[in-house]
Amino acid sequence: MKITELLTKHTIKLNIESKEKENVIDEMVTVLDKAGKLNDRQAYKEAILNRESQSSTGIGEGIAIPHAKTASVINPAIAFGRSKDGVDYESLDGQPAHLVFMIAATEGANNTHLEALSRLSTLLMREEIRKQLLEAESEDAIIDIINQHDKDDDEEEEEEAAPGKILAVTACPTGIAHTFMAADALKEKAKELGVEIKVETNGSSGIKHKLTAQEIEDAPAIIVAADKQVEMERFKGKRVLQVPVTAGIRRPQELIEKAMNQDAPIYQGSGSGSAASNDDEEAKGKSGSGIGNAFYKHLMSGVSNMLPFVVGGGILVAISFFWGIHSADPNDPSYNTFAAALNFIGGDNALKLIVAVLAGFIAMSIADRPGFAPGMVGGFMATQANAGFLGGLIAGFLAGYVVILLKKVFTFIPQSLDGLKPVLIYPLFGIFITGVLMQFVVNTPVAAFMNFLTNWLESLGTGNLVLMGIILGGMMAIDMGGPLNKAAFTFGIAMIDAGNYAPHAAIMAGGMVPPLGIALATTIFRNKFTQRDREAGITCYFMGAAFVTEGAIPFAAADPLRVIPAAVVGAAVAGGLTEFFRVTLPAPHGGVFVAFITNHPMLYLLSIVIGAVVMAIILGIVKKPVTEK
C-alpha cells in the first residue's frame, strides 16, 4: 500500500494556526474528523494525549509524529500539518516543530496499513524530503513529494548477521513511528561509521528481522532502545545497553560506539524464563521479565502518574500553613481566606484524588485504556471507605485484570460490533464488577487493617520509632528512585493519608541526603572529584533541597561500591534522627521548603544536615584522589 492512499488532499493542512502543542493536536484531530476518519473525535484525541504522556512525539529536526492505535478510528489515515513559524512541541532537541504528521491506526489495523504508516516515519529521517515538504506550495505538491520517494516494495529479505556484528532491538508503545525511526537512525549511523549492525523491530505488524540465538551469542553487545516490554531473557549474560527508543533516534552514534567498546553492563536476566514481546493488551498484564517485574511496571505507572497530584497538592497545603496550621478552619483565630482556598484546592481536591489516580493508571497499565475507568472508580471507592493506599493498590490490579478477563469473555462479539467494546461493554461491566468486589469484599477488611497499622505505629516507643526511621531513611537511598525508594515513599503517603505524619518525616529526610551528601563531598573533598563532578555537585544542592533523590544517580552509577553504602548510612542516620526527635511532617513533598510546617523545624533540618555530613565524610574517607589531565 502506498502512503498516499492514507495521506490525501482532504487530510492536509498547509498552514497550522496554533503555536502550542495541545492546540495543534486539536487542529489535526479536527482535520481527520472532518475527513470522516474518526467515529469518536474525543476518544481519539485522548488516545493521542495518552501517547504524548509517555514521551513526546516531537522527535526533533522540526518533526512531530503524534500517533495512536484505537477503536475510535474508522479507517487508517495520515493527517499532515505544516507551520512556517514552528510549534512548541516539546521536541527532543528543543527546536520547534514545522512538520506534523498525525497517524491514525484502527485497533485491528492490518499489516499492509501498518507497514505504510511505518514507512512514512522512515522517509522523514531524510533531510531532502523534509526540505521539499517545507517548500511545497500546494496539497498536490505534498502528495507528489511523498509519491516520489515512497517505494511500496516487498518486505526485505531476512539478513544474516556476521559474527561480531552489533545487534539492536527497537520498540515503542504503539509500534508505528518511533520503532522504525530508531531502527533507521541506528542503521544509517552504523553505515556512516563502517560498522555492521542488525536491528530487530518490534512494531505493530509484529517482529521483523528477529535476532537469532547464534547472532546473539556472537554479538559483542546489544542495544535495546525500547519504551515497552521486549523479550529480554535471551540476552542473559550479554552486554546490553537499555535506553528509551528516543535515544536510538537522537544518539545513535553514542550507542553504537558504546556497543563496539562493550561499554555496557552484563544483563543478569530475571530467572523467569522469557518475557513475551507483543502488542496484545493481555500481554501487558502478564509479560515482562517475570511476575515481579510486571507488578513493578504496573505499580510504577500508577505512582508516576500520581506524583504530580502529590507534589502540587502537597506544596499548596504546605503554603497554606504559612498563615498557621489551622488557618483553613473558619473557627480558628488564625483563619485566612486565601490560606483556606489553598488548603481546599491542594488538600480537599488534589490530594483526595491520589488514590483514585494511582488505581486508575495501574489498571490502565494492565489493560490499556479500557481499564482506566474501572480503576479510577475502584480507587475512589477505596478513598471513600478509608481503605487508603492499600485499597487503591488492590483496586488498580483488580480492575486491570477484570478488564483483561472481559476481553477474553467477549471475543465472540462480531468484528463489526468491536466499537461497542471500549465505549459500552468494558466500562459498564468493568466498573460494575470492580465496584461490587470493592464494596463487599475489599474495603471493609482493608480499612480495618489500615486503622490497625496506624494505631500500631502511634503506639511505638522511641526506640522502635528510631529503628523504623533508620529503615525507611535507608530505603530511600538504596536505589534512589527505584522500587525500594518508591515503596518507602508510597508507605509514607499512605501514613499521611491515615493521619500518621511521623514516618514521612524520616522518608523525606532520607531522600534528601544522597544529593546533599554528594554536594557537600564535592565541595569539601575537592581532590576526590573531577572538575565535571564538582560542577554537577553544585546542582545536587538544589536537587537535594527539593527532595529529588535521583540527583545522586550519576555519582552512584559511576562509583556504586562507595557512593551507595555512604548514601544509605547517611540517609539512615537522618531518618533515625527525625524519629528520635519525634518530628512529624504532614506534607508529602517539598523538601526543605516545607520544613516550617513540621512540629520541630530546626530539629528536622538538623537531622538532614547531620545525615548529609555523615555521607560526605564517608565519601571523603573511602574515595581516592583523582588526577586530571
Side-chain angles (χ1 to χ4, degrees), residues 495-506:
M495 289 299 97
I496 290 177
D497 189 52
N500 188 317
Y501 305 134
H504 206 66

Side-chain angles (χ1 to χ4, degrees), residues 504-517 520 541 544-547 569-578 581 583 585 590-595 598 600-616:
H504 206 66
I507 288 163
M508 198 177 298
M512 293 163 65
V513 163
L516 289 176
L520 282 175
Y541 279 112
F547 184 40
V569 172
V573 168
L577 285 174
T578 61
F581 294 136
V583 177
L585 176 61
V592 298
F593 305 105
V594 295
T598 66
H600 301 301
M602 297 309 296
L603 292 175
Y604 173 64
L605 293 174
L606 178 63
S607 302
I608 296 167
V609 170
I610 292 174
V613 169
V614 167
M615 177 182 172

